Amino acid sequence: QVQLVESGGGLVQAGGSLRLSCAASGGTFTTYAMGWFRQAPGKEREFVSTINWNGGTTYYADSVKGRFIISRDNAKKMGYLQMNSLKPEDTAVYYCAVRVVPTIATTPNAYYYWGQGTQVTVSS
């Protein structure tokens, strides 16, 4: 059983940056792929980025490519999402999620463990 807690969300002006963190506990985080998703009001949860078990493979949604950077520190059992050049359309609740296999995936149903989410609001 893996528990995930996100932090680092908040209110930022367009063009600004935020760094989200995902703290994992209680399970075998280090051998599993993880991902970040987001959900805006009235919209479905959408894929943002994913990273494999050792950080060697990453993948991004086109909407965030070149602006967001996913990373992880297995020694600390932490995942991160560095978000730069933020836009109002990035406003959403951001969730980290963990698979039970080491390889990446882009669909929510491929992930088994989920955090409670952290709100990111980007003002124009």
Side-chain angles (χ1 to χ4, degrees):
Q1 191 80 2
V2 176
Q3 291 82 44
L4 303 172
V5 177
E6 302 94 337
S7 62
L11 173 64
V12 64
Q13 288 189 331
S17 298
L18 284 174
R19 188 195 195 202
L20 304 184
S21 298
C22 176
S25 62
T28 313
F29 171 81
T30 58
T31 58
Y32 296 157
M34 66 164 290
W36 288 93
F37 293 79
R38 65 187 182 187
Q39 189 166 17
K43 295 188 177 181
E44 293 187 353
R45 192 166 297 190
E46 67 170 351
F47 166 75
V48 175
S49 183
T50 181
I51 187 167
N52 76 329
W53 71 280
N54 66 356
T57 301
T58 60
Y59 190 77
Y60 298 90
D62 287 343
S63 58
V64 306
K65 198 174 296 182
R67 300 188 297 123
F68 291 10
I69 302 172
I70 191 171
S71 62
R72 65 190 295 163
D73 185 336
N74 283 344
K76 297 181 179 178
K77 299 182 76 173
M78 294 289 296
Y80 305 99
L81 186 68
Q82 177 67 42
M83 305 187 297
N84 303 318
S85 302
L86 282 161
K87 305 175 181 179
E89 51 263 44
D90 294 318
T91 295
V93 177
Y94 283 71
Y95 299 89
C96 69
V98 168
R99 306 192 70 199
V100 291
V101 294
T103 52
I104 62 173
T106 62
T107 56
N109 60 10
Y111 289 78
Y112 193 79
Y113 299 107
W114 290 82
Q116 294 300 305
T118 185
Q119 176 71 47
V120 172
T121 303
V122 185
S123 63
S124 56

